[in-house]
Amino acid sequence: MEHFSYAIRPAYHEVDKMGYVYHANYVTYCHKARTEYMRSLGIPDSRIEKKDIMMPVISFDIIYKQPAHYDEQLEIQVTIQSLSKTRCTFEFVTYNNSNEHICTAHSTIVFINSNTRKPLAIPTWIGDILEKQYEIA
């Protein structure tokens, strides 16, 4: 299965008193991974915003398998799990540098007009790119 890989190393301020990466930081990690994945496809946030489009997250689910730690190299593998005319769901599978499964998350985004805040169908120029990636997965 084709996927996009995003590497991140948790900073000291991202760990809790137990020495584990605080659970809410994984949401940020996944958001960064999705942003870089979209950028790699030629769909950077700046291009989307210039076309008066926003991509709010409407759901985010995560299952933790084991904790990650400060300064531990993490790899987040991103794939498109589902794609419709109005929404896209991404899957994020995180591993540490020992290839141990840290967590799996799913995030669904929709498209809206940034001026009216009304829902949009996925713009054709974005949909065409995402469809190719979805077919690969």
Side-chain angles (χ1 to χ4, degrees):
M1 174 185 297
E2 292 280 328
H3 63 262
F4 174 82
S5 291
Y6 177 74
I8 194 161
R9 192 176 292 273
Y12 185 75
H13 71 274
E14 296 172 331
V15 246
D16 61 21
K17 189 173 182 176
M18 295 181 289
Y20 302 150
V21 171
Y22 181 66
H23 69 276
N25 288 315
Y26 292 96
V27 176
T28 301
Y29 296 167
C30 291
H31 180 81
K32 288 179 178 183
R34 187 194 80 218
T35 298
E36 292 307 318
Y37 177 46
M38 297 285 278
R39 182 189 318 279
S40 78
L41 298 174
I43 314 171
D45 287 346
S46 58
R47 184 175 177 199
I48 293 168
E49 289 174 357
K50 285 178 185 172
K51 296 186 179 287
D52 296 325
I53 298 168
M54 298 172 85
M55 300 182 311
V57 173
I58 61 167
S59 71
F60 187 90
D61 300 303
I62 189 164
I63 298 172
Y64 301 97
K65 298 292 186 181
Q66 66 179 10
H69 305 87
Y70 163 67
D71 205 37
E72 180 177 39
Q73 181 73 33
L74 301 177
E75 176 189 348
I76 303 172
Q77 298 176 353
V78 185
T79 56
I80 296 175
Q81 184 182 41
S82 66
L83 183 66
S84 73
K85 292 181 187 225
T86 59
R87 62 186 60 198
C88 183
T89 300
F90 296 89
E91 179 176 70
F92 308 90
V93 182
T94 303
Y95 296 94
N96 64 15
N97 54 354
S98 298
N99 206 33
E100 297 169 316
H101 186 190
I102 301 297
C103 64
T104 298
H106 297 94
S107 175
T108 300
I109 60 166
V110 294
F111 294 79
I112 64 171
N113 178 288
S114 61
N115 297 313
T116 66
R117 304 296 168 118
K118 300 282 185 189
L120 299 170
I122 297 175
T124 305
W125 67 275
I126 296 173
D128 290 346
I129 295 169
L130 296 179
E131 184 67 35
K132 289 177 188 169
Q133 296 304 306
Y134 182 57
E135 289 172 0
I136 291 171

